[in-house]
Amino acid sequence: MGKRVKFSFPPEMVKEPVIYKLGRDFEIVTNIRRAEVREDVGWVVLELDGEDAEIERGLAWVGTTGVRVDPVSGDVIDG
Amino acid sequence: MAFVNGLKCRECDREYSSEALNVCDFCFGPLEVVYDYATISEVISRDSIASGPLSIWRYRDLLPADSEHPVDIMAGYTPLLKAHNLGKKLGLKNLYIKNDSVNPSFSFKDRVVSVAATKAVEFGFDTLACASTGNLACSVAAHAARAGIKAVVFIPSDLERGKIIGAAVYGPTMISVEGNYDEVNRLCSEVADNYPWAFVNINMRPYYAEGSKTLGYEVAEQLGWRLPDHVVVPTASGAMFTKIWKGFNEMACLGMLEGVDSYSFGPDQNTVHHPAVTTKMHMTQAAGCSPIVTAWENGSPHVMPVRPNSIAKSLAIGNPADGIYSMRVINNSAGTAYAVPEDQVVPGIKLLAETEGIFTETAGGVAISGLKHAVESGAIKPDELTVVYITGNGLKTQEAVESVVNPLTVKPFMSSFEEAFNHRPE
Ligand SMILES: Cc1ncc(COP(=O)(O)O)c(C=O)c1O
Ligand SMILES: [Zn+2]
């Protein structure tokens, strides 16, 4: 099973090809499962396949772009 | 036995059998329990409920676990009190408090965990686990003790003392994680992927969340099989908020309410809305962690996660799993959402304590200050029947109200007492 994540795009990042670059610049295969992208907001739920360390590196880079990375099913911490 | 057909993805409708799974393999959407309501409607009645135990298991026909042998420490069937004094203070003539702070482990979490623990035993797990800012950890540890299975609870290291002790006393393996919120989250999600445990709010989540429906059923039953005009609910992940609404609609659709005809559940059991259910659902979050309120106020179709920074730790969930679904409930019910300023949380706790003799934790302070705001803003009218959910106990967050302690200190002589008493501050 690959790593399942949710990317949230702030308005200024909606048009950036972050997922494309993630696949191009890292040894990671991206597989989009569900998404909603509008002018002002966007999110994408996807699966990432690759070595754990490479995925960690790739996600750290995504974080630096201003795109938020979260688990797909919400926080696992509960009240 | 449970009247469950299986699980279904909320986003793409793919169906799964009843297993320990919370996310759709195809679209990664959340899974929900699918009920056999046709059979349920044949067996359930007000009498069948009344003859059940004084716990959530009186509604066993609507819970997704084996009711012959529930892991039951008697969660639920908590008091619903008419709040004359608080009502007077706020200008409400029909205000009720659902006091869920008196559950066995002192929060509403016992409702959800009782279902999850029962399901975990049914599936054959030997360990019950969770990651929690407190209440859930207490409840998981308590139910695991009752079930005779192991408990592993992860907590952030900066938790309130009352919650740490309130969980540790039941003898779980307690992991105190030194790290920020995101780090705790990441670790626990990795552990859940790698250990064969029943994580109540992860692989048990579809079953777990259903336990909160009983907060809807009980209020209906305690009001004489009627629904309130308004409810005010403290919210973190949004699970309880959506399930109270589901509970109200199930009661209506099954024909349990006074003067209300039964109604078809239709193809989507999770969004069914009986036209007779006119309760307005008011969500309250603390301003330091209010992603759902923010999204609702902006009319956004997406809940942008936040990093929590709130005195109300039990509500401090930055990326709420049911955020989007709870926004739909607010809209379908013509309700509201409000972020209570951080400095109004403790005043809410004190107001409830001083008017009604109920000591709630910070989540309850959020509920009471949120209720006050809903009245002041005109969303709730003086005559309307209103229920505020008090979901946790004040003894767990004593640090928050330390400042109330100002005793008159006296020597053990009458003169010293009288001197102090006669000159006490107003
Ligand atoms: C006392 C209390 N009230 C309310 C909540 C909110 O519940 P939910 O996450 O279902 O919105 C929690 C826990 O998350 C809690 O501990
Ligand atoms: Zn799906």
Side-chain angles (χ1 to χ4, degrees):
Chain A
M1 188 170 91
K3 186 153 180 84
R4 300 165 168 195
V5 287
K6 179 175 186 174
F7 291 172
S8 301
F9 295 74
E12 67 278 11
M13 287 301 295
V14 164
K15 295 196 177 115
E16 294 296 317
V18 172
I19 296 172
Y20 165 73
K21 287 184 186 164
L22 181 64
R24 186 193 65 189
D25 299 347
F26 299 86
E27 296 268 311
I28 293 175
V29 177
T30 61
N31 182 348
I32 296 180
R33 299 303 181 92
R34 206 149 38 86
E36 181 169 346
V37 181
R38 309 187 327 171
E39 209 166 287
D40 52 337
V41 64
W43 56 263
V44 177
V45 163
L46 69 172
E47 185 163 44
L48 306 177
D49 270 309
E51 299 284 330
D52 285 352
E54 186 69 358
I55 289 178
E56 210 161 293
R57 235 167 46 84
L59 289 179
W61 169 76
V62 174
T64 64
T65 67
V67 171
R68 235 194 107 106
V69 182
D70 289 286
V72 289
S73 48
D75 283 347
V76 303
I77 305 186
D78 203 325
Chain B
M1 78 156 254
F3 300 110
V4 168
N5 289 338
L7 301 174
K8 188 171 169 180
C9 173
R10 231 178 136 162
E11 295 297 330
C12 76
D13 287 345
R14 264 188 179 64
E15 291 178 12
Y16 296 82
S17 59
S18 228
E19 50 191 303
L21 191 68
N22 68 318
V23 175
C24 172
D25 272 335
F26 184 75
C27 80
F28 303 165
L31 301 180
E32 295 276 351
V33 174
V34 181
Y35 290 94
D36 172 8
Y37 285 121
T39 307
I40 293 172
S41 68
E42 282 165 22
V43 298
I44 201 169
S45 66
R46 292 185 194 172
D47 286 343
S48 76
I49 291 170
S51 67
L54 299 179
S55 78
I56 62 164
W57 294 97
R58 66 200 280 100
Y59 309 104
R60 59 186 175 266
D61 295 334
L62 287 161
L63 294 175
D66 174 19
S67 55
E68 297 303 314
H69 308 284
V71 181
D72 191 4
I73 57 175
M74 300 304 275
Y77 210 70
T78 55
L80 181 77
L81 296 85
K82 181 132 196 206
H84 294 282
N85 300 336
L86 179 60
K88 204 163 181 186
K89 200 130 201 165
L90 299 179
L92 291 178
K93 299 196 187 90
N94 275 305
L95 175 64
Y96 290 80
I97 294 165
K98 179 61 174 165
N99 184 9
D100 234 35
S101 72
V102 296
N103 269 303
S105 83
F106 308 104
S107 84
F108 90 98
K109 290 291 180 191
D110 288 333
R111 297 174 183 273
V112 281
V113 175
S114 180
V115 177
T118 302
K119 206 70 198 170
V121 171
E122 219 180 294
F123 284 136
F125 286 98
D126 68 0
T127 302
L128 201 62
C130 73
S132 165
T133 60
N135 287 323
L136 184 59
C138 300
S139 190
V140 162
H143 282 87
R146 176 77 172 181
I149 60 179
K150 290 173 268 186
V152 180
V153 301
F154 292 79
I155 56 167
S157 56
D158 64 349
L159 210 53
E160 298 102 334
R161 215 56 207 154
K163 287 179 177 167
I164 298 176
I165 295 168
V169 72
Y170 305 107
T173 299
M174 178 177 275
I175 320 281
S176 172
V177 186
E178 291 174 335
N180 68 30
Y181 181 85
D182 289 342
E183 292 166 332
V184 180
N185 228 341
R186 182 165 351 113
L187 170 67
C188 295
S189 136
E190 261 171 57
V191 173
D193 283 344
N194 288 289
Y195 284 75
W197 297 339
F199 261 89
V200 295
N201 55 334
I202 306 180
N203 54 351
M204 293 293 116
R205 190 172 175 90
Y207 314 98
Y208 162 85
E210 289 287 288
S212 283
K213 297 191 303 185
T214 59
L215 277 166
Y217 307 153
E218 278 176 30
V219 162
E221 183 179 359
Q222 289 169 316
L223 289 173
W225 299 108
R226 287 180 301 153
L227 297 183
D229 298 316
H230 301 272
V231 296
V232 177
V233 183
T235 297
S237 74
M240 176 188 27
F241 189 81
T242 59
K243 296 298 180 179
I244 290 173
W245 175 248
K246 183 176 178 185
F248 287 163
N249 280 285
E250 283 181 322
M251 286 290 114
C253 289
L254 290 165
M256 308 295 285
L257 302 179
E258 204 55 50
V260 172
D261 288 334
S262 57
Y263 187 77
S264 158
F265 280 87
D268 187 355
Q269 298 185 352
N270 290 303
T271 55
V272 64
H273 181 190
H274 191 304
V277 177
T278 54
T279 308
K280 294 189 171 68
M281 303 285 299
H282 302 282
M283 171 187 295
T284 58
Q285 298 197 287
C289 183
S290 51
I292 310 177
V293 175
T294 303
W296 185 79
E297 283 173 344
N298 296 339
S300 166
H302 172 60
V303 177
M304 194 64 177
V306 300
R307 181 168 295 166
N309 180 18
S310 174
I311 183 179
K313 292 205 172 83
S314 53
L315 301 182
I317 306 301
N319 182 19
D322 287 283
I324 204 79
Y325 306 119
S326 50
M327 270 165 53
R328 289 183 200 156
V329 168
I330 300 172
N331 292 335
N332 290 342
S333 73
T336 64
Y338 178 63
V340 171
E342 290 290 323
D343 66 2
Q344 291 307 303
V345 176
V346 169
I349 296 175
K350 287 189 187 163
L351 181 59
L352 181 63
E354 289 170 4
T355 55
E356 298 296 342
I358 294 172
F359 183 19
T360 185
E361 65 145 279
T362 45
V366 171
I368 295 297
S369 287
L371 166 69
K372 185 161 178 271
H373 176 266
V375 178
E376 287 167 359
S377 70
I380 301 179
K381 304 278 183 304
D383 288 321
E384 292 174 328
L385 203 168
T386 302
V387 173
V388 58
Y389 284 94
I390 296 302
T391 50
N393 198 294
L395 289 173
K396 288 202 191 157
T397 60
Q398 296 182 41
E399 295 86 342
V401 287
E402 200 72 55
S403 67
V404 299
V405 183
N406 299 299
L408 300 175
T409 305
V410 302
K411 297 275 182 306
F413 308 112
M414 199 61 182
S415 55
S416 172
F417 159 70
E418 284 179 339
E419 167 69 18
F421 188 73
N422 292 331
H423 295 97
R424 70 187 183 277
E426 279 308 308

